[in-house]
Amino acid sequence: MSSSIVIIPTYNEIENVEAIIRAVFDLQKNFHVLIVDDNSPDKTGDCVRGLQQEFQGKLFLETRLEKSGLGTAYIHGFKWAITKGYDYIFEMDADFSHTPSDLLRLLKACENGADLAVGSRYKKGVNVVNWPLYRVLLSYGASIYVKLITGMRVDDPTAGFVCYKREVLEAINLDSVRFVGYAFQIEMKFRAYLKHFKIEEVSIIFRDRVLGKSKMSSSIISEAIWGVFIMKMRSLFLKNKF
C-alpha cells in the first residue's frame, strides 16, 4: 500500500495517458495513480484498462458517464482517495505540462510541514514554456487579481499541480465546492487558506502540451474572473454555508 496517489483527470488524452502513467511509475517512489476519465470518445479509458493488468494494485480507473468538468473530476477522485486511506493526494495534468519528477518535490514539502504544496509557475519569475504571450499575461494577471480579491499570498492560485495532505481535503466540505473549471483550483486553495492550513509553493517549470487539445475556453475564463469575486463575497456573508 502506498501513502501517495496521483489523480489525473482525462478527456481525450489517448496520445498522453500511457506515457504519463509510465513516467509516474518510473519514479523512485511508490506512487499510485488514479485516472478519472469522462468516458473519452478516443478510448482513453480502454488504454488505461489495458495497462491495469501490468500495474495491478497501483493503477486505478474511475469512469464517469460524460464530460462534467475538471473540478467535479477532482472531487470524485478526492473522495475515492480519502476512502482508500491515502495520506498524500496529488493533482496532475495528463499532458506533461507538469513534470512527473516534480511530484517528489511536492511530496517533500508536505512531509516537511506544508499542508498543501503547490507547483508554482510564478514563485520565481514566470516559468512557462511554449505559451503564447496572451496566455502568459492572462494567467499571470489572474494570479494578481486573485491575490487582490482573496487576500491569499499565493503567487500561482490557478495552479493545477498540487499535493494535499488528506487532513486538508477532509476538512473541506467537498460537496459545497462550486467551481468546475480552472477556477476550481482557486476555490480549493482559498478554502484551505480560510481554514489556516499551511500553503507552500514549490517553483516548477510549466510546459504547454505537445500532444492533444487544450481544454481552455471563454466560459472557463469568465468563471475565473466573475466567480472569484462572488466566492469572496460568499465567504464573508455566508460563512456558515461556505
Side-chain angles (χ1 to χ4, degrees), residues 13-181:
E13 291 288 357
I14 193 66
E15 298 101 331
N16 296 302
V17 69
E18 179 173 354
I20 196 70
I21 288 169
R22 292 189 182 279
V24 173
F25 289 146
D26 282 344
L27 298 173
Q28 298 302 308
K29 177 69 180 179
N30 184 26
F31 289 102
H32 286 183
V33 173
L34 169 65
I35 303 294
V36 181
D37 184 64
D38 281 359
N39 202 19
S40 298
D42 70 354
K43 307 299 183 182
T44 296
D46 288 345
C47 177
V48 177
R49 273 185 284 272
L51 290 170
Q52 283 183 298
Q53 299 178 32
E54 181 178 350
F55 300 111
Q56 291 186 23
K58 58 193 301 186
L59 174 60
F60 307 96
L61 172 66
E62 289 284 292
T63 303
R64 305 196 300 167
L65 293 178
E66 60 185 4
K67 187 178 181 182
S68 303
L70 181 75
T72 59
Y74 273 126
I75 295 294
H76 184 105
F78 291 159
K79 290 179 176 179
W80 185 95
I82 290 169
T83 62
K84 300 298 182 182
Y86 290 95
D87 294 321
Y88 301 100
I89 301 169
F90 295 77
E91 298 178 359
M92 190 173 76
D93 291 347
D95 59 9
F96 283 93
S97 55
H98 304 139
T99 303
S101 61
D102 285 334
L103 289 167
L104 299 170
R105 299 171 61 223
L106 295 180
L107 177 60
K108 183 177 180 180
C110 282
E111 288 178 335
N112 288 342
D115 298 307
L116 172 60
V118 178
S120 177
R121 296 163 290 187
Y122 307 127
K123 182 179 180 181
K124 297 179 180 178
V126 178
N127 293 315
V128 177
V129 178
N130 293 334
W131 259 11
L133 181 59
Y134 82 91
R135 286 207 54 185
V136 175
L137 294 175
L138 180 65
S139 176
Y140 190 70
S143 68
I144 296 173
Y145 171 74
V146 170
K147 283 196 286 186
L148 288 173
I149 296 295
T150 65
M152 284 194 299
R153 298 281 74 100
V154 177
D155 292 315
D156 194 358
T158 63
F161 194 23
V162 182
C163 176
Y164 293 93
K165 283 185 176 176
R166 185 181 71 240
E167 291 80 6
V168 177
L169 297 177
E170 289 176 331
I172 293 172
N173 182 358
L174 296 175
D175 290 327
S176 70
V177 175
R178 291 195 170 189
F179 291 143
V180 298

